[in-house]
Amino acid sequence: MIKFVQNLPIKRKIIYFTMISSTLVLIAASVTFILGEYVLKREALVESNSSLISVLAINSAAAMVFHDPDAAAEILSALTADQDVIAAQIYTTDLELYASFANQLFQSDIPSPGNIPGNTELEQSLILAIEGGVPVVNFDNGVLDIKGPIILDDEILGVINIQSDLQPLRQSILSLAAIAGMFLLLALAFVYWFAGQLQQIITEPIDNLLKAMKEVSTSADYDRRVERMTDDELGSLSDGFNDMLE
């Protein structure tokens, strides 16, 4: 591979290495940007749902105190306005299901946790939310699952559990990736054009020098001179060639 590259014409070497280096840089920048956007959007989604849990916790505290699961269920039904919410539940500190809400749009696709018996993972996360007094966040199978405590006068009355669909987040990232891909292709097209212009600037003096060398060697015309086109090393090379013919 190295020998193949070494034997390439200078014109192709310039374009080859320019395209490779630019492609790697652009891909790295695009991936970094997309990953950064994904992290930011995911954090924003967690913060939004955590705030939603805090509001629901305040509104449902009275229903927990007065042992009114119907009122708690009615409060959860307000989540109908959020199309990304799959389901929501309220659990007591005894780890019993107190009230629940299920979005009919997702019933055939994603089951809600429901009752605790047999669901060790759910039980452990509820205990963690109760003992820690802070939201517990989990991403699993395309679902954002957040559990937050219901607190009244520093007493934990229960836990609200909300599951949200991550499909909108995925679609947003895919759209962003598509835009980044289009930008990448346009940028590579510009880089290819720029590399062509660059190789012309570099190789034109060399081509003129090679042409003059062939003319001198074939016709023995020692009055032939090469025009100095640049003030860099190539220009010095042209001067050296002219001096040799003096």
Side-chain angles (χ1 to χ4, degrees), residues 4-19:
F4 170 76
V5 174
Q6 288 177 337
N7 294 330
L8 287 175
I10 293 178
K11 293 181 179 180
R12 293 185 62 184
K13 283 180 183 177
I14 293 174
I15 295 177
Y16 182 76
F17 286 112
T18 302
M19 290 297 296

Side-chain angles (χ1 to χ4, degrees), residues 25-241:
V25 170
L26 288 171
I27 289 177
S30 298
V31 170
T32 301
F33 173 72
I34 292 173
L35 288 178
E37 283 296 308
Y38 173 74
V39 171
L40 290 176
K41 288 178 180 293
R42 198 171 80 158
E43 289 179 350
L45 183 60
V46 170
E47 183 177 352
S48 174
N49 281 24
S50 297
S51 299
L52 180 60
I53 284 182
S54 298
V55 173
L56 291 175
I58 294 173
N59 294 337
S60 60
M64 298 290 291
V65 171
F66 293 105
H67 305 288
D68 190 349
D70 291 335
E74 184 177 353
I75 291 172
L76 291 180
S77 66
L79 293 172
T80 305
D82 191 337
Q83 297 182 354
D84 295 334
V85 173
I86 299 170
Q89 305 82 32
I90 294 179
Y91 296 95
T92 66
T93 52
D94 296 327
L95 306 184
E96 293 181 355
L97 182 62
Y98 189 75
S100 64
F101 161 79
N103 190 334
Q104 298 300 317
L105 296 176
F106 296 94
Q107 284 304 290
S108 59
D109 299 325
I110 305 174
S112 61
N115 290 311
I116 293 179
N119 196 332
T120 305
E121 182 179 353
L122 174 60
E123 181 179 352
Q124 291 176 347
S125 59
L126 287 173
I127 292 175
L128 187 60
I130 293 172
E131 293 180 348
V134 294
V136 176
V137 180
N138 182 44
F139 291 89
D140 187 29
N141 295 326
V143 175
L144 168 61
D145 185 285
I146 301 184
K147 299 173 180 67
I150 301 173
I151 302 175
L152 181 64
D153 296 332
D154 296 329
E155 179 184 355
I156 296 179
L157 305 177
V159 175
I160 292 183
N161 187 190
I162 294 181
Q163 298 87 41
S164 297
D165 185 24
L166 292 177
Q167 183 63 24
L169 175 61
R170 289 196 296 265
Q171 291 177 343
S172 174
I173 295 301
L174 288 175
S175 299
L176 190 63
I179 295 174
M182 294 176 60
F183 170 79
L184 178 63
L185 292 176
L186 291 175
L188 288 177
F190 171 78
V191 169
Y192 182 79
W193 172 84
F194 178 78
Q197 298 298 314
L198 179 63
Q199 63 86 16
Q200 184 176 358
I201 293 174
I202 295 176
T203 59
E204 186 176 359
I206 299 177
D207 289 340
N208 291 337
L209 183 60
L210 289 174
K211 183 179 179 180
M213 290 173 59
K214 289 180 180 180
E215 290 180 358
V216 170
S217 63
T218 56
S219 63
D221 181 11
Y222 297 105
D223 292 329
R224 179 75 165 83
R225 295 294 182 269
V226 177
E227 179 185 359
R228 182 187 177 105
M229 302 183 65
T230 60
D231 292 329
D232 55 9
E233 291 83 354
L234 294 176
S236 299
L237 186 62
S238 299
D239 289 342
F241 175 79

